[in-house]
Amino acid sequence: GAVVSQHPSRVICKSGTSVKIECRSLDFQATTMFWYRQFPKKSLMLMATSNEGSKATYEQGVEKDKFLINHASLTLSTLTVTSAHPEDSSFYICSASPRDGELFFGEGSRLTVL
Amino acid sequence: LAKTTQPISMDSYEGQEVNITCSHNNIATNDYITWYQQFPSQGPRFIIQGYKTKVTNEVASLFIPADRKSSTLSLPRVSLSDTAVYYCLVGDTGRRALTFGSGTRLQVQP
């Protein structure tokens, strides 16, 4: 089946630094990818839609200057958390679809900001 | 996007059949119903998807009544490894983001 992979799976950084998370579709091309974040014991919340070759679409309340999304190729989208702070600590998950009707999720990336 | 409502939690024992019902009163004509399973610190895993009536695969069955305002995920003979959170999502295509509800936390006991 279709596979979506994220890297890194875990990252710890100091407050004020920037962290980049990669999301790759391994066996299909994805013109659109989606980024979610999930706090402990909570559901997934959509952050933004990543569009290949164009600007990402952010959900209301998500700061686009803080969560930079780049979708430079049909198999790679990156999420950069800029000037990270402890409140940005969360589980970030990306997803993509090889075709209509099926959405596959990455393994997730746990960010801890000290 | 159609809103979904599921029970917050359910308990079961190994070997039993578990049925989790999801309400989606505002489902649109083009919407599919998809169920995902999520273990702690992992991304959601696709379980099953349907549009109407009944769908069955190697791990679950999905029952959808004619009005499509609800759906029921059926897990036959659950095991301890089925302990997870189950999400019901409704959307018209995999190319558009799906909105997650609260999910159902299933606890399977020995």
Side-chain angles (χ1 to χ4, degrees):
Chain A
V3 178
V4 175
S5 180
Q6 287 182 238
H7 177 81
S9 58
R10 294 176 181 270
V11 57
I12 301 173
C13 70
K14 293 182 179 180
S15 185
T17 61
S18 295
V19 173
K20 179 184 288 188
I21 301 170
E22 294 184 346
C23 177
R24 294 181 184 274
S25 55
L26 298 186
D27 53 1
F28 65 95
Q29 294 182 332
T31 56
T32 304
M33 292 184 176
F34 308 103
W35 287 95
Y36 294 81
R37 68 187 293 183
Q38 185 177 33
F39 292 107
K41 305 264 187 219
K42 299 295 185 181
S43 185
L44 284 76
M45 291 178 54
L46 178 66
M47 297 176 67
T49 301
S50 173
N51 304 300
E52 188 270 334
S54 65
K55 292 183 179 180
T57 304
Y58 291 83
E59 295 299 302
Q60 188 173 8
V62 178
E63 300 175 58
K64 62 179 180 180
D65 294 329
K66 181 166 188 62
F67 299 100
L68 300 180
I69 292 174
N70 183 278
H71 195 149
S73 77
L74 287 171
T75 59
L76 174 64
S77 174
T78 60
L79 168 68
T80 301
V81 183
T82 62
S83 186
H85 291 284
E87 58 265 30
D88 298 323
S89 297
S90 188
F91 192 53
Y92 293 87
I93 308 170
C94 70
S95 67
S97 175
R99 53 188 167 274
D100 286 357
E102 293 188 52
L103 192 62
F104 293 89
F105 290 82
E107 313 94 322
S109 300
R110 183 163 301 284
L111 170 64
T112 302
V113 184
L114 302 177
Chain B
L1 296 173
K3 178 180 169 65
T4 59
T5 303
Q6 305 173 230
I8 295 296
S9 64
M10 294 182 70
D11 293 309
S12 184
Y13 292 94
E14 281 191 294
Q16 289 189 332
E17 177 185 79
V18 171
N19 296 309
I20 306 175
T21 297
C22 177
S23 296
H24 29 80
N25 292 318
N26 297 323
I27 189 169
T29 303
N30 294 331
D31 286 346
Y32 283 79
I33 300 157
T34 313
W35 285 79
Y36 289 87
Q37 175 192 56
Q38 187 183 29
F39 297 112
S41 296
Q42 294 186 27
R45 185 174 72 96
F46 175 89
I47 301 175
I48 197 167
Q49 183 182 71
Y51 183 81
K52 61 180 180 180
T53 63
K54 177 184 175 182
V55 180
T56 297
N57 61 22
E58 62 276 9
V59 298
S61 294
L62 178 59
F63 299 92
I64 306 169
D67 65 6
R68 304 203 323 124
K69 294 183 181 299
S70 66
S71 59
T72 299
L73 173 72
S74 181
L75 304 173
R77 301 174 59 82
V78 294
S79 63
L80 295 176
S81 62
D82 291 318
T83 294
V85 178
Y86 292 82
Y87 293 98
C88 158
L89 286 83
V90 175
D92 61 353
T93 173
R95 298 191 187 282
R96 296 183 61 181
L98 298 178
T99 299
F100 282 78
S102 60
T104 298
R105 191 172 298 274
L106 173 65
Q107 180 70 49
V108 180
Q109 300 178 0

